[in-house]
Amino acid sequence: WGIGILGAILLLALVGPLVADRSLSQVGAVIPRQPPSADYWLGTDAQGREMISVLIYGLPQTLKIGVLAGLISLGVGTFLGLLSGFVGGWLDATIRTASDVMMTIPGIAVMVLVAANVRVMTVEIMAVIVAALSWMIATRTIRAQTLSVRERGYVQIARLNGQSGLKLVFVEVLPNLLPFIAASFVMTVSQAMMATIGLEALGLGPQNELTLGMTIYWAQFYAAIVRGMWWWWLPPILVLSLIFVGLMLTSIGLDSRVNKRLAGG
């Protein structure tokens, strides 16, 4: 179910911009503050933009931030986790201490400080800011699994057969961590999107690009709730909720599969 929900959302993000009129998502394109009707199915906002077009063009950018941040965070976390768990010694102690220290720092406060001082915020910069403060959990997860895998019989036999170093890591250890890496990726994307939406709700997101988080910010900025313009803030919240439900179900499914494999092994 989770993969199905995410697949439908991804399909909309890919196909929607090909059939929707981008000009309707620009400021002043239509009559502002119009409720849903036959002409504007989801109404228009106070800036004169059609909400359907805003959602269609904001969805890919929102997903892009989450996926980019997830890939960067998971890439750093997997590298450090493998290095820490396989090499051990002082390197393991250094990486473990650094991740523990970073986890005690309030990430949202640092992200707000950094984002507030970026002159021109873009989707790519937003993803890097979020990823820089979300690699620790992936590092700890991969490290813990690496410590377990490196002591298994097939790894010891590979060592006795003369394999060592990078070949041992990439041939014997890493393939057996792929289910954990997949589960960590889903979790990392979810956390990255949550952090991103938090920043955007404060007005620290990409000002010149459409995202679902910035749509919620502008609805708040123009007092859409007070004015009763539910069609401005409710649809992006529902879409985001659907994304998080899909990510949660996918994470649960992957976690169940990993645990079954461990139990069977």
Side-chain angles (χ1 to χ4, degrees):
W1 279 102
I3 293 175
I5 292 172
L6 294 178
I9 292 173
L10 182 60
L11 182 64
L12 176 62
L14 294 174
V15 177
L18 300 178
V19 298
D21 186 354
R22 188 176 183 85
S23 64
L24 296 178
S25 66
Q26 305 298 320
V27 175
V30 293
I31 303 172
R33 302 186 183 90
Q34 296 298 304
S37 63
D39 294 327
Y40 309 113
W41 291 357
L42 285 181
T44 65
D45 62 14
Q47 297 171 297
R49 301 181 299 184
E50 186 184 37
M51 284 306 302
I52 287 184
S53 297
V54 170
L55 292 177
I56 288 175
Y57 284 97
L59 179 58
Q61 297 293 78
T62 300
L63 294 176
K64 182 179 179 181
I65 294 176
V67 172
L68 275 179
L71 286 173
I72 296 171
S73 177
L74 184 63
V76 173
T78 300
F79 173 76
L80 293 178
L82 283 170
L83 199 62
S84 176
F86 193 81
V87 176
W90 66 268
L91 188 60
D92 178 33
T94 301
I95 295 174
R96 188 177 68 252
T97 302
S99 62
D100 290 342
V101 170
M102 287 294 294
M103 290 186 71
T104 62
I105 299 174
I108 188 65
V110 177
M111 284 189 285
V112 168
L113 181 63
V114 174
N117 287 277
V118 174
R119 182 171 298 179
V120 180
M121 180 64 71
T122 64
V123 167
E124 291 76 14
I125 294 175
M126 193 83 172
V128 171
I129 292 174
V130 172
L133 293 167
S134 58
W135 53 268
M136 297 81 69
I137 295 178
T139 299
R140 291 169 63 91
T141 302
I142 300 302
R143 173 187 174 274
Q145 297 302 326
T146 303
L147 288 173
S148 173
V149 170
R150 75 174 187 178
E151 301 301 329
R152 295 184 182 178
Y154 58 84
V155 177
Q156 300 300 328
I157 292 174
R159 280 199 180 99
L160 293 175
N161 288 332
Q163 288 189 18
S164 61
L166 292 177
K167 185 176 181 180
L168 191 62
V169 172
F170 285 103
V171 174
E172 301 295 342
V173 177
L174 186 59
N176 291 280
L177 295 180
L178 291 179
F180 299 98
I181 293 174
S184 297
F185 175 69
V186 174
M187 181 177 63
T188 303
V189 170
S190 179
Q191 293 173 340
M193 290 188 64
M194 185 68 74
T196 299
I197 293 165
L199 289 177
E200 291 176 333
L202 296 174
L204 299 175
Q207 297 287 335
N208 300 321
E209 299 181 63
L210 285 174
T211 65
L212 299 183
M214 288 305 296
T215 302
I216 296 173
Y217 167 73
W218 290 120
Q220 173 188 328
F221 184 83
Y222 286 100
I225 296 178
V226 177
R227 296 181 177 185
M229 299 173 64
W230 58 267
W231 58 87
W232 191 351
W233 54 268
L234 185 57
I237 289 177
L238 291 177
V239 173
L240 288 171
S241 299
L242 198 59
I243 293 173
F244 285 118
V245 168
L247 289 170
M248 181 192 69
L249 292 176
T250 303
S251 179
I252 292 173
L254 288 172
D255 186 58
S256 298
R257 179 168 177 79
V258 169
N259 289 333
K260 285 180 181 179
R261 290 183 63 180
L262 287 175

